[in-house]
Amino acid sequence: MTSKNKLRRKALTGAALAAALTASGTASAQSKATSGMPLSDEVVRARADALIAQMTPEEKAGQITQYFDFTDSPEEAKRVTDEMAASRAGSLLFVHDPAELDRLQHIAVEKTRLKIPLLFGYDVIHGLRTIMPVPIAVAASWDPGVAQQAQTVAAREARAVGIHWAFAPNLDIARDPRWGRLIEGAGEDPYLGSAMAAAQVRGFQGSYIGSPGHVISGPKHFAGYGASIGGRDYDEVNLSDSELWNVYLKPFKAAVDAGAGNIMSAYMGVNGVPATGNRWLLTDVLRKTWGFKGFVVTDAGAAHDLLTHGFAASNEDAAVRALTAGVDMEMAPPFGMSAFKTLPQSLAAGKITTAQLDDAVRHVLEAKIRMGLFEKPYVDLQAAKRVLADPAHREVARMAAERSAVLLRNEGGALPLSRRALKSIAVIGPLADSARDTVGPWVFDQDDKETVTVLAGIKAEVGSGVKVAYSPGVTLPARVNKSIFQSDEQFAAGKARNVDDTPEIQRAVALAKDADVAVLVLGEGQIMVGENASRSSLDLPGRQQELLDAVIATGKPVVVLLMSARPLDIKGSKPAALMDIWYPGTQGGTAVANLLFGKVSPGGKLPYNWPRNIGQVPLPYAHLTTHQPKTVEERYWNESNTPLYPFGYGLSYSTFAFSNLKVDKAKVARGVAVPVSVDVRNTGSRKADEVAQLYIHQRYGTAARPVRELKGFERLTLEPGETRTVRFTLSPDDLSYWAASTRSFVQDATTFDVYAGNSSTAALGGSFEVAD
């Protein structure tokens, strides 16, 4: 055995480790890792390479393997713990209990040969203990600051309990509301999606990877997952290169530019090539074109699934294809064998090289080094309790829910409600008092006692002076097909009826007749949306539509609060007011009460077009002009093809006027920025928020361009009568696009139309010319 091979078999501990660190120039860097200072790339690489030199092929394969640790399955937990203790696991996921995280980390650091700490990942999608509004809701705030604050809180709680890495944000552009994972992203637009992507990465990671109280951000799913055919989760994706570059890749580019430390590859095939085995995506685009320096992880079981796709010939071949495509870590399928476990035999057979394997290991080790895990691997259990109980986190959740609500209809100023004028309120609906549904999906450590439901929020707001009567109205129907997040027992329980619908509808109607106003909380239960929750209908589930129409028929004022994450079809029913409250999170009920009674004015805007019915989807606002544009609204003979509510739409308790649109330069050369400004005036009597939105249209060029494209926005708070000038800058990148004819990004010499207003249908316009 050579001395080099002996070195690989020997752990660097004690004096040997200190000597190696000194030799690689990193001894002085240890203090930085614990003092809140970022390490240099050179130092990080040297430390990683010093470890790699010690590792066997089996340890390398283990270091780039992540296992689910289901603590409620003792047999599986033991299997995973045994793999970890044998240095055949570098990361675990799905553990959130700080004591268990600490126990497992002690095993990794104290019992394994090389003492390499584990990297713990978790689906911190919209909070850990303090649950924020779901991501599509936060996107509806049109306020990246809200997104950053929300994920800063999520990161602080996650890091406190011993989690180092969040599988978020979801950056999938989604233009088909049948797709359940629409809830996790920012909607249909790449510009809004990019702004929310960068803000969330900053919130999770802080100013650098390893910032105290922060975690690694893992944007997903790379790429195109939101375009699954038919809106069906996990189905294939077929996108043109133009759509990929101009729409679906843009938020990921923004996340990489913001410094994201991880990217997750998608399950599905893109144009026939599974994303997890797609070297063009993971290497040519992500690393070579964008310069990504972090690590790539598969989605759950996606490496093994290369075999399922008919892309790989065997599990061993799947591992080789994933690794050589650019995957650095396999999220191994739960209760199954890791594909990456076969990499040592592939290395021995010459199917992969040592350099390829080492590159993947290096990317993972560098993340651990940057996070300071070698210096501070363990959990401070007392500090975790303090962080999780911080009341400031609940304030952020309340604020985020208030700023996310979108007021869609408000006839005759039905809202806000007046506490002085009201004597009684009927709160009706199956979601009005459901704590679990209020926080939405992707919540695995739910404490119902912490969640304020809409009913509870209203009761707390009005006190004993207003009578509040409640009826669930109807029972939400059970899923036909069980969710991956339901046990058999939970699925069976979901089929049980909570109320007998017919008499309960009658009771709800009676309550509405006896009340001054009826507040209906309708929509989809949290198990009806999210992963594995695509839907073939946009109707209100169960008999909710019947309940709604019966209550409206009483003639009493009706306020409908939609708890949903996709546009729902209420069949032309016309309540006095309609507000989308999404799944508003831990403080949802308090936020909704503040909105209903005018403590705050709704200022959210839709992050997608809201179709009239499911037959129109997909219906993106940024469509091409196409043939006969004058008849675009007449493409269906039986009804208008316009959206019911357009992208960017949302009402307020005040009114606003846009004027004085100025394009600073009537003519510019290519590569020159164009300043644009517009005045926004609060013409109403209430302090309120408005979102100034800037859109462009390129009249002609190398390729046809969409009728409108969002290129700027700013949320404002204005006093009654106040006017503010909002200034935007259209950069050369804003005026460029990827053209199929040249297979490159181009900026044309052309004429641009510019529009400013409070939705994608803004009428206030101007123009400018780009010349050679």
Side-chain angles (χ1 to χ4, degrees), residues 108 178 325 503 595 724:
R178 294 173 294 182
L595 289 158
R724 194 175 307 170

Side-chain angles (χ1 to χ4, degrees), residues 5 27 39 59 75 90 140 166 200 204 260 279 297 334 377 379-380 382 410 412 458 487 516 551 574 688-689 728:
N5 285 334
L39 300 173
E59 287 170 330
E75 184 178 334
Q200 290 185 80
F204 279 124
R279 183 174 174 81
V297 68
V379 181
D380 183 334
Q382 293 305 311
N410 195 23
I458 290 173
S487 65
D516 294 330
V551 174
K574 292 181 169 56
D689 284 11
F728 301 102

